[in-house]
Amino acid sequence: MSITRIWVYLAEQPLLWLALTVGVFWLAKQFYFAVRQFPLLNPVLVSVAAIVALLAATGTPYDEYFQGAQFVNFLLGPATVALAVPLASQIDTLKRALLPLSIALAVGSLTGILSTLAIGWALGIDGQMLLSLLPRSITTPIAMGVSDQIGGSPQLTAVFVILTGILGAAFGLPLLGALRLRDPIAGGFALGVASHGIGTARAFEYNQQAGAFSGLAMGLNGTLTAILVPLIVWLFGLH
């Protein structure tokens, strides 16, 4: 039996793309640890690149891939909710740090939106592309909903969100180290505000407490950004 016929047979199996997605990510994770967690070889980035290359090589439409791998997408919801578990053990610390974290959330959320707006204008980006960029620092389901509400492209927004998360996970901790910010609460919260779920996963690799507060920041920033982005779009007349 030829390789082509084998592939056609396998492609008809409902769990093929789910198994490949999990397998590719596992291999990317092993590779990531083998290269001593080199930032630019983040397993999410490597997995995305590998799967895109495989889809292109086999001529597989994205919709067909998603039909097989959508269970991974479904698990994003429970995984996000599960981030509350490590945070529960930090409740006393959270109460003591409530005021500075609230200020950091407001400043971080506004900075993320306004800096994106300023950079977009500086590069001559406008219209739907600019609107699609604005919610890039929050988790994908919320960002896509916000983008659709303000007239952006949810599909473009999803790409920008993933790129933001990968860059945050790759460079966030080295940048915090260069700034001599050693506090896991502050560092984790910053990663969560700036680079949502992918940054949160990186924060958990660094420190359990950092991961807990990164998860908190991700959720709170998603809520606040969903309020602020439509308001800023209205104030600047971006529709």
Side-chain angles (χ1 to χ4, degrees), residues 29-71:
K29 193 81 171 179
Q30 304 311 305
F31 180 62
Y32 181 57
F33 287 124
V35 296
R36 300 181 180 179
Q37 299 179 325
F38 182 64
L40 293 180
L41 295 176
N42 182 281
V44 175
L45 175 60
V46 172
S47 298
V48 169
I51 290 174
V52 168
L54 182 59
L55 293 180
T58 59
T60 304
Y62 174 77
D63 289 341
E64 181 180 329
Y65 163 76
F66 186 75
Q67 284 297 316
Q70 61 182 320
F71 186 65

Side-chain angles (χ1 to χ4, degrees), residues 137-160:
S137 291
I138 56 178
T139 188
T140 305
I142 301 176
M144 292 179 70
V146 173
S147 178
D148 186 55
Q149 179 187 356
I150 63 176
S153 166
Q155 292 79 14
L156 271 178
T157 298
V159 173
F160 294 140

Side-chain angles (χ1 to χ4, degrees), residues 109-127 129-136 150 228-229 231-239:
S109 184
L110 276 171
T111 299
I113 299 167
L114 294 178
S115 63
T116 300
L117 186 59
I119 293 171
W121 279 342
L123 295 176
I125 300 172
D126 57 13
M129 178 72 76
L130 182 60
L131 293 172
S132 302
L133 270 168
L134 291 180
R136 64 181 176 78
I150 63 176
L228 290 177
V229 165
L231 180 60
I232 288 172
V233 167
W234 175 76
L235 286 173
F236 285 92
L238 298 177
H239 277 303

Side-chain angles (χ1 to χ4, degrees), residues 7-24:
W7 175 257
V8 170
Y9 169 76
L10 289 174
E12 295 174 350
Q13 307 310 306
L15 296 180
L16 171 68
W17 292 111
L18 175 61
L20 281 175
T21 300
V22 174
V24 166

Side-chain angles (χ1 to χ4, degrees), residues 181-208:
L181 181 58
R182 308 298 184 190
D183 184 355
I185 296 175
F189 201 82
L191 279 174
V193 169
S195 49
H196 52 83
I198 301 176
T200 297
R202 183 71 180 96
F204 270 111
E205 292 177 0
Y206 169 68
N207 180 282
Q208 186 77 7

